[in-house]
Amino acid sequence: MSSGSVVASLARCRAIPAPDARLACFDAAAAAIETAVKAKDVTIVDRQDIRTARRSLFGFSVPHIPLFGGGDRDAGPKTDDFAELNTTIASARAVENGRIELRLADGDAVWRTTDPMPFPPRTGAKVRIRQGAMGNYFIAISGERSVRGVRVR
């Protein structure tokens, strides 16, 4: 049974007028949902799980699927879209051509500046990464001038 038909079975049960038959239908539908969840054919997530997943994917190109709020492109901007990330730096190191690699404190995200910086920032410094036009990202450390960057992990 597909995940769509598992959920649709609940709607079919609501249409049954006889209380005993409706209850039997709901019992069967609930058992089917429980089996599908245990088999990992269906996953139930709440809004906070979705926000957490979207935050952890900030900076990556994610397909437009309804789970991440991208299913209906014509519906306008979503209220919980992430256009920026505010956190602190767990570690920073200089890499080639004056660029800096930053590991963020919340999660495993690693960003690299595409513009050179004169020196790596301190661990614990505040960082703001905001989404710009045409897929660009801008990294501002401790309120300083922004540099362009890209998420690498």
Side-chain angles (χ1 to χ4, degrees):
M1 186 180 280
S2 74
S3 63
S5 64
V6 170
V7 175
S9 67
L10 288 172
R12 284 191 300 273
C13 293
R14 292 181 61 210
I16 298 173
D20 290 340
R22 187 172 53 249
L23 178 59
C25 181
F26 274 125
D27 284 345
I33 289 173
E34 186 177 7
T35 300
V37 168
K38 285 181 182 175
K40 300 191 187 294
D41 291 333
V42 172
T43 300
I44 299 171
V45 296
D46 62 19
R47 287 188 193 275
Q48 186 56 46
D49 293 336
I50 293 169
R51 284 185 191 108
T52 301
R54 291 185 71 229
R55 180 180 170 90
S56 72
L57 294 170
F58 182 77
F60 287 132
S61 178
V62 178
H64 291 280
I65 55 176
L67 177 64
F68 294 112
D72 187 0
R73 290 177 181 257
D74 298 328
K78 307 288 185 236
T79 56
D80 60 352
D81 275 351
F82 287 101
E84 70 177 53
L85 182 65
N86 292 288
T87 186
T88 57
I89 296 172
S91 65
R93 68 182 184 100
V95 292
E96 71 279 346
N97 299 322
R99 290 167 176 83
I100 306 295
E101 188 173 275
L102 307 168
R103 182 174 302 277
L104 303 184
D106 57 347
D108 296 326
V110 176
W111 289 76
R112 182 173 290 172
T113 64
T114 56
D115 293 333
M117 290 182 73
F119 55 87
R122 297 179 337 270
T123 297
K126 292 182 180 183
V127 62
R128 175 182 174 225
I129 303 172
R130 64 183 171 82
Q131 189 172 6
M134 297 172 48
N136 289 313
Y137 290 89
F138 297 94
I139 302 171
I141 299 166
S142 298
E144 298 291 325
R145 182 180 75 87
S146 295
V147 295
R148 284 184 298 235
V150 62
R151 183 162 178 187
V152 293
R153 284 190 288 245

